[in-house]
Amino acid sequence: MTGAVLQAIRGSHVRLWLAAVLITVAVGTAGYLIMGWSIGDAAYMTGITLTTVGYKEVRELDGLGRAWTVLVAVAGVGIIFGSVGIVAEAVLSEAVNGRREAKRMIQTIGALTGHVILCGYGRVGSTVARELDHVGEPFVVVDINPASIDAARADGHLVVAGDATIDAVLREAGIERARGLVTTIDSDANNVYVTLSARSLNPNLFVVARANQEGSEAKLVQAGADRVVSPYTRAGRQIAELAIRPGVADFIDFALSHGEPTFTIEAVEVRPGGPLDGQSVGALRDRGIFSLAVARGDRDYEANPAAERVLRAGEHIIVSGSAATLRDLRERV
């Protein structure tokens, strides 16, 4: 409410209202001055009359003085009602805009398909959101913390306020139509519950879960997570790689960076009947697409495939090349 009132005060109609108040005070004071009052008495009399305080008159009033005081009092009542009206307008505007925004967000989420659901918008979750937003991946944030919800909305993301461990909340986020879910809640127990719920609601969902404590990875995998990431373990590995193989680490980081690199790395699915189905690795290389590995299953990689290797539907190919070439390939498949 405070924000809405402050926003209303900055409105042009309110500036006019403030100008009217100042003019009324000036005119009221001038009227008493014309009657021969001192400026102090005139200003004091105008103030207590406009605010309807009702103190005793500073001086005895004749007929003209009483008439002028009545006019000033009527103006004061108008000012009071104007103040109430502006506050009411701000509150009503906030309520109406809030309902309109909530309805728009529900409609937008309802129209999503093939999106990602991000559970938890803390330090890790907000970083994931920035990465998803950068690559243009549609996603919905689910969080129960009011501060996190406000932060996600301020960042312009679609938000569902609620407990991600509850099936109804996940359904509101479009779990049946989603292609992936990332849970970054700072509680391993909640991440396990979210994973179990998500897997039961959408068996085909690709689930990435955050593990906060040692030993939680196995529980999350048993719950149905496809990938489990420990921020602390991952950070430790990256630091070690920078210390041991800085060139390799820098190369991969640059290829996956947010800038405009001359090359990048992508994973592309070979769809049945798609443009890659039946293509050879050599044919892709002639187009400037270099195959680093072919993923035949979960963690089953065929590294450095031969030029005559033919791609089959259901496989994934890890490729590198110019950003423009891979962007075109990704759009075509």
Side-chain angles (χ1 to χ4, degrees):
M1 182 184 298
T2 302
V5 173
L6 291 177
Q7 185 176 3
I9 290 176
R10 289 193 292 268
S12 60
H13 63 295
V14 181
R15 287 196 293 270
L16 292 174
W17 174 80
L18 290 175
V21 172
L22 295 176
I23 292 173
T24 303
V25 171
V27 172
T29 303
Y32 290 114
L33 289 174
I34 293 173
M35 298 179 203
W37 293 30
S38 67
I39 188 170
D41 289 347
Y44 179 74
M45 186 65 182
T46 301
I48 64 173
T49 304
L50 285 175
T51 56
T52 67
V53 172
Y55 290 151
K56 183 179 179 181
E57 292 86 354
V58 178
R59 299 186 183 185
E60 290 296 329
L61 297 174
D62 55 14
L64 178 61
R66 291 192 182 94
W68 185 251
T69 301
V70 169
L71 291 176
V72 174
V74 170
V77 172
I79 290 171
I80 292 173
F81 279 106
S83 302
V84 174
I86 286 177
V87 174
E89 179 186 3
V91 174
L92 290 175
S93 176
E94 182 183 33
V96 171
N97 290 337
R99 286 195 296 268
R100 185 183 297 115
E101 177 66 19
K103 183 178 180 180
R104 184 198 64 81
M105 191 167 292
I106 291 173
Q107 291 174 342
T108 304
I109 294 173
L112 286 179
T113 183
H115 59 289
V116 174
I117 297 175
L118 173 58
C119 303
Y121 199 76
R123 288 179 295 179
V124 176
S126 59
T127 302
V128 174
R130 284 195 296 271
E131 297 290 331
L132 293 173
D133 191 50
H134 173 75
V135 298
E137 186 73 34
F139 65 95
V140 179
V141 175
V142 179
D143 205 302
I144 197 172
N145 187 330
S148 298
I149 294 169
D150 292 341
R153 285 174 176 162
D155 291 339
H157 305 315
L158 297 173
V159 180
V160 171
D163 188 348
T165 62
I166 299 175
D167 291 356
V169 174
L170 292 177
R171 287 194 177 94
E172 187 178 348
I175 187 74
E176 293 92 348
R177 306 181 308 277
R179 74 171 187 85
L181 179 142
V182 179
T183 177
T184 64
I185 304 172
D186 57 4
S187 165
D188 287 336
N190 285 339
N191 285 329
V192 169
Y193 290 140
V194 171
T195 303
L196 285 169
S197 298
R199 183 61 68 202
S200 65
L201 294 172
N202 187 344
N204 299 321
L205 202 66
F206 190 86
V207 179
V208 180
R210 168 187 175 181
N212 299 283
Q213 302 292 332
E214 292 185 9
S216 298
E217 292 92 338
K219 295 182 177 63
L220 286 163
V221 171
Q222 291 173 358
D226 296 286
R227 298 289 187 274
V228 179
V229 178
S230 171
Y232 307 107
T233 302
R234 179 60 62 90
R237 289 176 180 172
Q238 186 174 5
I239 292 172
E241 289 295 330
L242 287 170
I244 300 170
R245 291 181 287 268
V248 174
D250 288 342
F251 174 84
I252 295 175
D253 184 64
F254 181 76
L256 301 176
S257 68
H258 283 179
E260 294 294 334
T262 55
F263 65 92
T264 186
I265 299 175
E266 290 284 352
V268 183
E269 181 182 1
V270 182
R271 300 182 184 276
L276 294 180
D277 191 6
Q279 283 272 353
S280 68
V281 170
L284 291 179
R285 185 174 58 196
D286 293 339
R287 294 162 50 192
I289 303 171
F290 302 94
S291 304
L292 303 179
V294 176
R296 295 169 294 201
D298 189 21
R299 299 183 183 277
D300 180 13
Y301 297 101
E302 179 185 343
N304 299 317
E308 59 273 13
R309 170 66 156 86
V310 176
L311 303 176
R312 304 178 184 88
E315 296 178 329
H316 288 75
I317 184 169
I318 313 301
V319 295
S320 68
S322 70
T325 300
L326 294 190
R327 183 167 52 250
D328 178 67
L329 174 65
R330 189 170 59 248
E331 291 173 351
R332 291 176 57 236
V333 300

